[in-house]
Amino acid sequence: MHTFGRRGYRVASMEEIAGLAGVSKPLVYLYLNSKEELFTACVRREARALAASVRDSVDPRLPADRQLWAGLTAFFTHTAENPDGWAVLHRQARTHGEPFALEVAAMRDEMVARVASLIGAAAREAGTGRTPELAARDMTGLAQALVGAAESLAGWRHEDGTVSARDAAATLMNFAWVGLGELLRGERWTAR
Amino acid sequence: MHTFGRRGYRVASMEEIAGLAGVSKPLVYLYLNSKEELFTACVRREARALAASVRDSVDPRLPADRQLWAGLTAFFTHTAENPDGWAVLHRQARTHGEPFALEVAAMRDEMVARVASLIGAAAREAGTGRTPELAARDMTGLAQALVGAAESLAGWRHEDGTVSARDAAATLMNFAWVGLGELLRGERWTAR
Amino acid sequence: MHTFGRRGYRVASMEEIAGLAGVSKPLVYLYLNSKEELFTACVRREARALAASVRDSVDPRLPADRQLWAGLTAFFTHTAENPDGWAVLHRQARTHGEPFALEVAAMRDEMVARVASLIGAAAREAGTGRTPELAARDMTGLAQALVGAAESLAGWRHEDGTVSARDAAATLMNFAWVGLGELLRGERWTAR
Amino acid sequence: MHTFGRRGYRVASMEEIAGLAGVSKPLVYLYLNSKEELFTACVRREARALAASVRDSVDPRLPADRQLWAGLTAFFTHTAENPDGWAVLHRQARTHGEPFALEVAAMRDEMVARVASLIGAAAREAGTGRTPELAARDMTGLAQALVGAAESLAGWRHEDGTVSARDAAATLMNFAWVGLGELLRGERWTAR
DNA sequence: AATGAATGAGGCTTCATTCAT
DNA sequence: TATGAATGAAGCCTCATTCAT
């Protein structure tokens, strides 16, 4: 039913959705009781699929930067392979009312938290004792930035088309892990 | 007419828009001929206002990082002061049809280009000769990431409410300019 | 204000009418109190103009067929010179509600009556005593037929464009005065 | 749906049409997609019904005057039995926009052509060699006159109410076939 | 288990008409 | 005298949703 992704929540009519799914309208109502529930189900499914893709790609025994690299690659791969699902999550669900927005916000917050804890882990790994003051909120802020950057790059890839998932992930790793400052001084983060 | 920001393009009825504006429906049609034109006008106005805020805050004679800092601060300030306008640009316009999406995409692309050229300038400033290979597309990718991170932080601020524009800008400068790697080693970017 | 003729009663908006007349809407309402009255005035004026054209062209001292010829010629001339007026009378007024239809029906009935009395006069002129039974209603029927034929030919002229008023009148005189039967046997009615 | 005939195209609201038809508005849109299509369908149906009535009543093996007589009788009968349909064709369709007007014009033109060819046939039947100059356009003009006369008499019948279809047809046959001139000299065309 | 047929509610838009000046 | 500004009322159309089978 990813008609939603292509047409948008409001424009996609139940007529069209049912038609493209090859069934009749009342049947849709038999299984999912309203357009709202139908959309909620779509959103939830896509959210879970994306979260699972990312989660499953990450080996928690690896160092933090390698975990982040793996997660980003999975994220870019998944969004590229499921453009409609990504559109539903990123565009439609957040625009059409609280119920859907909350659904996707939960998933996103979880991702942010995961990234934040990854940053915390990295801080401990790098722990020279010089960064005790990196508070929880700072880490959340950084994680928000990183997630937003990833979302933006996903959209960019979608339009450009010539950027591979690894390219996008590398760009972001360089951006985030090395930092523009170091980057400009010639530093590079490498996958291995 | 920022009813659009709070209610969404589809849900906001002309009745409601006119009512909240204190006038009658036909009067709205007298000035702006259709719901689409009305929304386009809103989008355009908000896009220009945001672009102007950011542009006016930046002194092109400063070094690149200071320009970025100024622009980000202005961005976070403007979006916080115009939450409805920001919602129109970031949520509504990109979700409800090409005409609007193109309008806002143009503005965003311009911002991305500006950031990319800023990165290019920074590269020349830092120019140790060790970074000749930072191609145009790399810079665009980095700029996309930075802009996406800023958008994400703007949303985060909007929900959190306790983060000042300077905090958000500082978070992003640290994230982007210093890099998580350096950051975790205790480096900090400071506004001065 | 013959916008009515070209656009139709319903489609012609007061805005358009006033605009083309070079005045403002309230001014129109000052002189003629409503769209209905405005249209009634138009209809009445056109009806009178047409009736006057026809009436003035007829010399009651002539024999009946010459009177008919003169009236028809005037009719075809007037309708060709005032196509909008004719459209108002023949198309618009009869289609858009009783008030207007009655207005034009009165004029038309008067014309029919005039033609009927002309036929009566002709009967008396030709009076060989062999046609006592040509009742009033017969004459009205014949007059209705003649008037309808004239209306139809007026429309035909309007579309064709190459038929002169005299041609149309001659066609109708031949048709009516000589009769198809006689016509086909070679008879012709001539204007003199 | 001959609400159109009684109320007129513009005045008849879809609400009213659906209501009088005993169904709901959306149902009307399910079958006929817009007011315009609905009206077009009405016009076309009425046009075909009238054309069929007339055509079926005419036996092409009969002499021309008998064919005309049959056709006229059918015409007057049909229009009297379907006053709304006739109103739609003669009043509404020709007044409310090209699409409808063209539809009915096609049917009328066909009738005119048929009558014209009938006149041509009559000319050949009566052919004494004295009427070679009855050109195609003359015949079209005569046919236009005859059809207009018939339309007018149909309206007259509609108002008067006491004139039978045969009376009207007879009036017109006398008018057209015998001619007023001969008529006044006592000639009559008889149905047999 | 599945659907053709039907509708209540609501949105966009237009227009004749009137104030206030 | 003349008008810019404003609106109540109404029409066309769509869609999520439900019966009756």
Side-chain angles (χ1 to χ4, degrees):
Chain A
M1 312 251 187
H2 298 200
T3 313
F4 280 135
R6 268 189 255 272
R7 307 275 275 119
Y9 176 59
R10 298 302 290 230
V11 176
S13 73
M14 293 300 270
E15 184 103 22
E16 184 178 356
I17 292 171
L20 289 188
V23 292
S24 70
K25 252 184 304 177
L27 195 55
V28 176
Y29 279 92
L30 194 65
Y31 287 101
L32 297 152
N33 304 296
S34 71
K35 193 181 184 184
E36 190 165 330
E37 282 188 37
L38 168 59
F39 190 50
T40 301
C42 280
V43 171
R44 193 168 301 170
R45 190 175 70 183
E46 292 305 325
R48 289 189 174 156
L50 174 55
S53 279
V54 172
R55 189 169 44 240
D56 295 351
S57 75
V58 173
D59 180 344
R61 292 161 308 185
L62 293 179
D65 62 338
R66 304 307 305 276
Q67 287 190 44
L68 185 54
W69 163 257
L72 287 173
T73 308
F75 174 79
F76 289 123
T77 303
H78 184 95
T79 52
E81 284 172 351
N82 302 20
D84 295 338
W86 176 240
V88 163
L89 289 179
H90 189 55
R91 284 255 200 291
Q92 302 301 328
R94 305 177 82 182
T95 314
H96 293 294
E98 282 237 327
F100 319 132
L102 290 180
E103 200 79 35
V104 66
M107 183 269 290
R108 189 181 191 271
D109 286 348
E110 187 207 312
M111 282 202 173
V112 168
R114 208 173 283 263
V115 170
S117 86
L118 217 50
I119 293 175
R124 281 190 300 282
E125 285 172 15
T128 59
R130 290 162 60 204
T131 61
E133 72 277 24
L134 203 56
R137 188 163 75 177
D138 292 326
M139 292 193 293
T140 300
L142 293 169
Q144 287 276 2
L146 202 156
V147 167
E151 290 166 345
S152 175
L153 286 176
W156 183 51
R157 281 193 68 203
H158 188 58
E159 284 167 22
D160 188 302
T162 69
V163 185
S164 73
R166 289 178 64 95
D167 290 345
T171 298
L172 192 40
M173 286 306 289
N174 275 319
F175 179 61
W177 214 256
V178 178
L180 284 178
E182 291 302 303
L183 198 61
L184 297 174
R185 273 190 287 281
E187 283 290 330
R188 285 295 181 283
W189 180 92
T190 87
R192 186 174 359 89
Chain B
M1 311 267 185
H2 296 198
T3 313
F4 280 137
R6 268 188 256 273
R7 307 276 275 126
Y9 177 58
R10 297 306 287 242
V11 176
S13 75
M14 293 302 268
E15 183 106 23
E16 183 179 357
I17 291 171
L20 289 189
V23 292
S24 69
K25 238 186 316 175
L27 192 55
V28 177
Y29 280 92
L30 194 65
Y31 289 104
L32 296 152
N33 306 295
S34 69
K35 192 180 186 181
E36 189 163 332
E37 277 188 40
L38 169 58
F39 191 50
T40 299
C42 281
V43 170
R44 194 166 301 171
R45 190 176 69 182
E46 294 305 327
R48 288 186 175 159
L50 174 55
S53 279
V54 172
R55 188 171 42 242
D56 293 352
S57 74
V58 173
D59 180 344
R61 292 161 306 185
L62 294 179
D65 63 336
R66 304 307 306 274
Q67 287 190 43
L68 186 55
W69 163 258
L72 286 173
T73 307
F75 174 79
F76 289 122
T77 303
H78 185 96
T79 52
E81 284 172 352
N82 303 60
D84 296 335
W86 176 240
V88 163
L89 289 179
H90 189 55
R91 288 255 197 288
Q92 301 301 329
R94 304 176 82 181
T95 314
H96 293 293
E98 281 236 331
F100 317 132
L102 291 180
E103 199 82 33
V104 64
M107 183 268 292
R108 190 183 192 269
D109 286 348
E110 188 207 312
M111 283 202 173
V112 168
R114 210 173 280 262
V115 170
S117 88
L118 218 49
I119 293 175
R124 280 189 300 281
E125 285 173 16
T128 58
R130 291 162 60 202
T131 59
E133 71 278 24
L134 204 55
R137 190 165 74 177
D138 292 325
M139 291 192 293
T140 300
L142 293 170
Q144 287 276 1
L146 202 154
V147 167
E151 291 165 344
S152 175
L153 286 177
W156 182 53
R157 279 193 72 203
H158 187 59
E159 285 166 22
D160 187 299
T162 69
V163 186
S164 74
R166 292 176 64 94
D167 291 344
T171 297
L172 191 40
M173 286 306 288
N174 276 318
F175 178 61
W177 213 256
V178 178
L180 284 176
E182 290 303 301
L183 198 63
L184 297 174
R185 272 191 288 284
E187 283 291 331
R188 284 294 180 283
W189 180 93
T190 86
R192 178 185 9 89
Chain C
M1 314 254 186
H2 298 200
T3 312
F4 281 135
R6 268 189 255 273
R7 307 274 275 119
Y9 176 59
R10 297 305 288 231
V11 176
S13 72
M14 293 301 270
E15 183 104 23
E16 185 179 354
I17 292 171
L20 289 188
V23 291
S24 69
K25 254 185 301 177
L27 195 55
V28 176
Y29 279 91
L30 193 65
Y31 286 101
L32 298 151
N33 304 295
S34 69
K35 193 181 185 185
E36 190 165 331
E37 281 189 36
L38 168 59
F39 190 50
T40 301
C42 279
V43 170
R44 192 167 302 169
R45 189 176 70 183
E46 292 306 326
R48 288 187 175 157
L50 174 55
S53 278
V54 172
R55 188 170 42 243
D56 294 351
S57 74
V58 174
D59 180 346
R61 293 162 307 186
L62 294 178
D65 63 336
R66 303 309 306 275
Q67 288 190 42
L68 185 55
W69 164 256
L72 286 173
T73 307
F75 174 79
F76 289 123
T77 302
H78 185 95
T79 52
E81 284 172 352
N82 302 43
D84 295 337
W86 175 239
V88 163
L89 290 179
H90 189 54
R91 286 257 199 288
Q92 301 301 329
R94 305 176 82 181
T95 313
H96 294 294
E98 283 237 328
F100 318 131
L102 291 179
E103 200 79 33
V104 65
M107 183 269 291
R108 190 182 191 270
D109 286 348
E110 187 206 312
M111 283 204 173
V112 168
R114 208 172 283 262
V115 170
S117 87
L118 218 48
I119 294 174
R124 279 190 301 282
E125 285 173 13
T128 60
R130 291 163 58 206
T131 60
E133 71 278 23
L134 203 55
R137 189 165 74 178
D138 293 324
M139 291 192 293
T140 299
L142 293 169
Q144 287 276 2
L146 202 156
V147 167
E151 291 165 343
S152 176
L153 286 176
W156 182 53
R157 281 192 70 203
H158 189 59
E159 285 166 21
D160 188 300
T162 69
V163 185
S164 74
R166 292 178 62 95
D167 290 345
T171 297
L172 191 41
M173 287 306 290
N174 275 319
F175 179 60
W177 213 257
V178 177
L180 283 177
E182 290 302 303
L183 198 62
L184 297 173
R185 273 192 287 282
E187 283 290 331
R188 285 294 180 283
W189 180 91
T190 85
R192 190 173 0 90
Chain D
M1 311 266 187
H2 297 199
T3 312
F4 279 135
R6 267 189 257 274
R7 306 276 274 125
Y9 176 59
R10 296 304 287 242
V11 176
S13 77
M14 292 301 270
E15 184 105 22
E16 182 179 357
I17 291 172
L20 289 189
V23 292
S24 68
K25 233 186 321 175
L27 194 56
V28 177
Y29 280 92
L30 194 66
Y31 290 103
L32 296 153
N33 305 296
S34 70
K35 193 180 185 181
E36 189 164 332
E37 278 189 39
L38 168 58
F39 191 51
T40 300
C42 281
V43 170
R44 194 166 301 173
R45 190 176 69 184
E46 293 306 326
R48 288 186 175 158
L50 174 55
S53 279
V54 172
R55 188 170 42 243
D56 294 351
S57 75
V58 173
D59 181 345
R61 292 161 308 186
L62 295 179
D65 64 336
R66 304 306 307 273
Q67 288 189 43
L68 186 54
W69 163 257
L72 286 173
T73 308
F75 174 79
F76 289 122
T77 303
H78 185 95
T79 52
E81 283 173 353
N82 301 59
D84 295 336
W86 175 239
V88 163
L89 289 179
H90 189 55
R91 288 254 198 289
Q92 302 301 330
R94 303 176 82 180
T95 314
H96 294 293
E98 281 236 330
F100 316 132
L102 290 179
E103 200 82 34
V104 63
M107 183 268 290
R108 189 182 193 270
D109 286 348
E110 189 207 311
M111 283 203 172
V112 168
R114 210 172 281 263
V115 170
S117 87
L118 217 51
I119 293 175
R124 281 190 299 282
E125 285 173 15
T128 59
R130 293 162 58 203
T131 60
E133 71 279 22
L134 204 55
R137 191 165 73 176
D138 292 326
M139 292 193 292
T140 299
L142 293 169
Q144 286 276 3
L146 201 154
V147 167
E151 291 166 344
S152 176
L153 286 176
W156 182 53
R157 280 194 70 204
H158 187 59
E159 284 165 22
D160 186 301
T162 68
V163 185
S164 74
R166 291 177 64 94
D167 290 345
T171 298
L172 191 41
M173 287 306 289
N174 276 320
F175 178 60
W177 214 256
V178 178
L180 284 177
E182 291 302 303
L183 197 62
L184 298 173
R185 273 192 287 281
E187 283 290 330
R188 285 293 181 283
W189 181 92
T190 86
R192 186 174 2 87

